[in-house]
Amino acid sequence: MQNTNKPNIPSRLLWEFDHDSFDFKKSYKIVIERVLERGNLDNWREMIRFYSKSQILETIEWSSQIDEKDKRFSRLFINSDFVNVV
């Protein structure tokens, strides 16, 4: 059974935070931004499983860390079925 309180995101993506006490729901923008920037396909799948599509798209628009090319790719990927390809 998967933990619904926090996603299975590697602590290396959030290296400066205490992974055990980190509030994944409250700080969703930080998590989503890190996964978009540095995560692998499994991390993306977990992000999509845990967070809503609207939270992910909101974070893409909000982020000043992600450049416009990566924002376009992220929007395309999130709105596609590519994440489900094995």
Side-chain angles (χ1 to χ4, degrees):
M1 185 172 159
Q2 291 184 333
N3 185 342
T4 58
N5 294 324
K6 68 181 191 176
N8 185 18
I9 300 294
S11 58
R12 67 177 171 76
L13 293 180
L14 301 163
W15 63 88
E16 72 270 53
F17 300 102
D18 178 10
H19 203 70
D20 294 328
S21 63
F22 188 79
D23 188 337
F24 284 86
K25 291 186 179 188
K26 181 178 177 186
S27 301
Y28 70 93
K29 287 183 178 179
I30 294 168
V31 179
I32 293 170
E33 189 176 59
R34 293 292 173 82
V35 170
L36 294 177
E37 290 179 315
R38 298 182 179 101
N40 62 30
L41 183 57
D42 288 335
N43 303 146
W44 277 61
R45 286 179 176 143
E46 181 63 7
M47 171 188 70
I48 292 167
R49 181 197 68 78
F50 190 79
Y51 297 109
S52 71
K53 186 175 179 179
S54 63
Q55 285 176 303
I56 296 168
L57 292 171
E58 173 191 342
T59 302
I60 291 169
E61 299 309 317
W62 164 85
S63 177
S64 61
Q65 296 291 105
I66 302 170
D67 67 29
E68 193 53 43
K69 181 181 91 178
D70 291 336
K71 285 184 177 190
R72 284 192 302 270
F73 171 79
S74 297
R75 282 187 216 104
L76 175 70
F77 197 81
I78 295 302
N79 286 310
S80 74
D81 289 329
F82 290 130
V83 77
N84 298 318
V85 174
V86 182

